[in-house]
Amino acid sequence: RGRSVRNNTGRRWQGLSGIFRTTFSPSAQGAAGQQDDEANAAAAAAAAAAAATAAMSQDMPCTVRLRLWPFDINRPHKPLEKEILEIRHAVLCSEMGAHFSPCGRYLATCIACHPPPDMVIDNTPLGPVTALFYELRIYSMEAQTFGEILHARPIRAAHCLTSIRFSPTSEHLLLAYGRRHMTLLQSIVADADTGSLIPIHTILEIYKVSDMQLVRVLPSAEDEVNVACFHPWAGGGIAYGTKEGKLR
């Protein structure tokens, strides 16, 4: 069984060094053997820390801080002073991670949320790890309720998001995904000619802004979306570009 080790933060974790076993020479005796043991233990601890870091960083999207400043269209060169809204832990998407609605009343973004304290895992070599979850949120941009969260719902695969876009009527919200991830798996079908299995993943989702209900899903067996948007005319459809350079 691995030993309990105390890291430099003062928290305890069960020795992952037991997973990374090393072969010790039976001839090692006395001080030399103790030094070898310490060196091996240090190497194992470093390997354990690296493995834990890789495990914790897997599928974790980058997050940023969004800041909004007032802008006077009649004085475009006026210096920006104190911000009027700050949104922390917004997921950074490759193309559009935050979008103002065409009507000017909403701001949509995806937020990394921390769980309650009783869900914090405290047995890792780098300190506590929290099982983050992610919410798609609609913030109010109207004067009376500015900055308030009007609607929110959890979403899957936030680390795969590439675009968040409002429709021209501001009634719907489009989410695009740029990776084939297991949480986006819709089904698996068999090729009629070869018999090989083909996974079908979600690449686009459309939500209704008023209640955040999912109203449409577009699956694909081959596409990974780099960018997606609504046609500027209501009812004109959706266009997206893939990582293979295709426009659909």
Side-chain angles (χ1 to χ4, degrees), residues 94-96 160-163 165 174-180 202-204 218 220 222-231 237-248:
S94 61
E95 190 271 331
M96 182 66 73
C160 302
L161 277 175
T162 55
S163 295
R165 293 274 192 168
L174 172 67
L175 269 62
Y177 296 97
R179 282 177 54 191
R180 302 186 188 100
T202 295
I203 60 171
L204 297 176
L218 180 63
S220 175
E222 57 182 19
D223 288 344
E224 292 177 312
V225 180
N226 261 348
V227 56
C229 64
F230 285 97
H231 191 282
I238 294 171
Y240 70 87
T242 72
K243 290 184 176 180
E244 292 75 26
K246 298 177 181 179
L247 179 63
R248 304 189 190 279

Side-chain angles (χ1 to χ4, degrees), residues 7 9 11-13 56 114 117 119-131:
N7 64 6
T9 64
R11 299 184 176 89
R12 300 187 67 82
W13 56 284
M56 286 186 289
H114 292 275
M119 292 179 62
V120 174
I121 303 171
D122 197 38
N123 61 346
T124 72
L126 301 182
V129 175
T130 57

